[in-house]
Amino acid sequence: MDNIDALLDEMEQYARENETPILTEAARPVFLRTLRETLPRRILELGTAIGYSAILALRTLPEAEIVTIERDAAFAETARSFLRRTGYEARAKVLVGAAEALLPTLSGAFDFVFIDAAKSRYPDFWLGVQPLLTSRAVVVADNVLFRGLVEGEGSEAWPKHSYRTMVLQLREYLRLVRSAPGFRTKIFPEGDGMAVSWRNE
Ligand SMILES: C[S@@+](CC[C@H](N)C(=O)[O-])C[C@H]1O[C@@H](n2cnc3c(N)ncnc32)[C@H](O)[C@@H]1O
C-alpha cells in the first residue's frame, strides 16, 4: 500500500465518521475505468466535498490537472489540507462557490467533467459546462438514478415532496444528455447510477 492508499483509507474513515458523501465503493470502478479510457489532461469537478474523488483522479492520471468547485468553504478547506498531503496540490485548484455561479467565469477547455454537486441543478450544470468542453470530452454525472426513483421499475409513483424537485431535475438531466447532438450516453446502474456522456465518438 502506498501513502496515497493510506490517505484514501483515512479519507473514507473521515467521511464515514462525519457523514460526508464521497464517491461510493460501488461507483468507483465506473469512474476510474472512464478516466483510464479517456486519459484527460484537464478535469473539471463540480462538488469537491473533502477531495476524495479529486485525489483518486489525480492518482490515476499523473499528468492530469483538476479544477474542482465546492460551495461549502469548510469542505473546500478540508479538501485542500488533504491535497497538501498528497503532493498533488500543484495539479489541483479548489474553487469555493456555487458551481452555477462560477462556471461562466471559467476559461479553457476540459476533456473530462465530473458532475457531483446539487442534483436539482444537474440540467444547469450540463448546459453550463458545454462551452468549456473539448471536442472529445466526457461528462460523468453521479447519482442520476437517485435511489431508483428517477426511472425504471419503482419510479412510476409521483415522487414524494422532499425529493420531487431533485427527481424531476434528474429526469430532465437524462432527457438532455440523451437528446444532446454529438453525444452518446450510457447509464451505469452501479451505486446510485452514473451517466457517462461521450462527445463525438
Ligand atoms: C457528493 S458530494 C461530492 C463528493 C466528491 N465528488 C467525492 O466523490 O469525493 C457533493 C458536494 O457538492 C457540494 N455542492 C452542493 N451544491 C453545490 C453547488 N451548487 N456548487 C458547488 N458545490 C456544491 C456539497 O457541498 C458537497 O460537498
Side-chain angles (χ1 to χ4, degrees):
M1 189 196 278
D2 63 19
N3 290 340
I4 303 297
D5 276 329
L7 184 72
L8 289 168
D9 285 348
E10 183 185 326
M11 293 177 82
E12 286 164 27
Q13 191 177 341
Y14 178 99
R16 272 193 302 275
E17 286 170 4
N18 294 280
E19 295 182 15
T20 309
I22 60 169
L23 196 62
T24 61
E25 198 173 352
R28 267 171 237 159
V30 179
F31 178 71
L32 291 173
R33 190 174 64 238
T34 310
L35 277 174
R36 290 194 185 103
E37 285 169 0
T38 316
L39 298 177
R41 298 296 296 250
R42 294 197 77 219
I43 300 169
L44 173 63
E45 177 179 65
L46 313 185
T48 319
I50 60 170
Y52 183 84
S53 49
I55 289 173
L56 259 189
L58 293 170
R59 182 181 71 163
T60 305
L61 302 171
E63 306 287 312
E65 295 173 5
I66 191 165
V67 174
T68 178
I69 303 178
E70 173 54 52
R71 183 173 62 180
D72 182 299
F75 273 158
E77 204 34 59
T78 305
R80 287 189 183 120
S81 67
F82 277 122
L83 271 161
R84 277 194 289 273
R85 293 170 58 194
T86 62
Y88 301 155
E89 65 272 34
R91 296 193 282 128
K93 196 184 278 182
V94 182
L95 304 179
V96 184
E100 58 276 22
L102 290 180
L103 283 176
T105 72
L106 298 183
S107 57
F110 294 90
D111 36 24
F112 189 100
V113 176
F114 183 41
I115 299 179
D116 196 21
K119 287 171 258 304
S120 57
R121 292 255 179 207
Y122 275 24
D124 296 336
F125 296 154
W126 171 260
L127 297 173
V129 302
Q130 294 303 310
L132 302 170
L133 300 179
T134 64
S135 59
R136 293 185 61 80
V138 176
V139 180
V140 176
D142 199 8
N143 309 105
V144 293
L145 297 179
F146 189 66
R147 303 180 188 185
L149 297 174
V150 177
E151 61 181 26
E153 207 179 316
S155 67
E156 299 85 4
W158 188 237
K160 67 176 184 182
H161 182 72
S162 48
Y163 295 149
R164 195 164 301 153
T165 304
M166 188 190 302
V167 168
L168 296 181
Q169 290 301 311
L170 288 171
R171 285 179 188 160
E172 173 61 6
Y173 182 82
L174 295 182
R175 192 194 67 75
L176 278 174
V177 296
R178 284 171 171 147
S179 61
F183 284 87
R184 177 176 69 87
T185 292
K186 185 165 177 194
I187 315 294
F188 293 89
E190 283 88 342
D192 213 8
M194 217 177 231
V196 181
S197 302
W198 294 269
R199 189 176 202 182
N200 280 334
E201 279 219 324

